[in-house]
């Protein structure tokens, strides 16, 4: 199983970035897809999740600024990030997981997002 994340970079506050994650070896259908981030010196935290049925959930800190979307046919998920803030800086990871038996969880390698003026 591989999750390949891309789209990170350096952007000024107020700017936008779009992250993408393509999975191979595991289908998004029937699973939960998510984006998480880890800032220096902090624990990894949830950013947004999306069920294969289309239900999205967002952290309070990104609600209204970020949008998660998925494509079951392409086995990909995107994270559109608008109005970025310095506090959004971190390494962003995509994840595919299943809560019901059999349970599993797969993580991508991470992509760096830096918001700085």
């Amino acid at each position: 199983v591989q999750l390949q994340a891309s789209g990170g970079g350096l952007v000024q506050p107020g700017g936008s970035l779009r992250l993408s994650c393509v999975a191979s070896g595991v289908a998004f259908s029937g699973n939960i897809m998510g984006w998480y981030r880890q800032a220096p010196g902090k624990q990894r935290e949830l950013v947004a999740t999306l069920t294969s049925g289309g239900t999205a959930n967002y952290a309070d800190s990104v609600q209204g600024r970020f949008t998660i979307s998925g494509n079951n046919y392409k086995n990909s998920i995107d994270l559109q990030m608008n109005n970025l803030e310095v506090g959004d800086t971190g390494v962003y990871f995509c994840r595919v997981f299943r809560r019901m038996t059999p349970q599993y969880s797969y993580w991508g390698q991470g992509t760096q997002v830096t918001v700085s003026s």
Side-chain angles (χ1 to χ4, degrees):
V1 175
Q2 272 195 322
L3 300 180
Q4 185 69 39
S6 62
L10 173 64
V11 65
Q12 292 185 341
S16 298
L17 281 175
R18 188 176 184 89
L19 306 183
S20 294
C21 177
V22 179
S24 59
V26 63
F28 284 165
S29 180
N31 294 317
I32 303 173
M33 300 82 76
W35 286 97
Y36 295 72
R37 68 187 180 191
Q38 187 166 17
K42 294 187 178 181
Q43 290 187 333
R44 191 173 298 187
E45 63 176 1
L46 169 74
V47 175
T49 58
L50 180 68
T51 69
S52 58
T55 300
N57 179 57
Y58 297 93
D60 289 343
S61 60
V62 307
Q63 183 77 45
R65 300 187 296 121
F66 291 11
T67 303
I68 187 171
S69 59
N71 187 318
N72 288 343
Y73 297 101
K74 295 183 178 179
N75 248 17
S76 64
I77 55 170
D78 291 347
L79 185 70
Q80 177 65 42
M81 306 186 292
N82 297 328
N83 195 19
L84 282 159
E85 303 170 353
V86 172
D88 295 319
T89 295
V91 179
Y92 282 68
F93 300 88
C94 58
R95 179 192 184 198
V96 176
F97 62 100
R98 178 183 167 90
R99 291 198 176 110
M100 295 183 292
T101 302
Q103 296 180 345
Y104 49 75
S105 175
Y106 302 108
W107 291 88
Q109 86 287 2
T111 184
Q112 176 71 45
V113 172
T114 302
V115 185
S116 175
S117 55

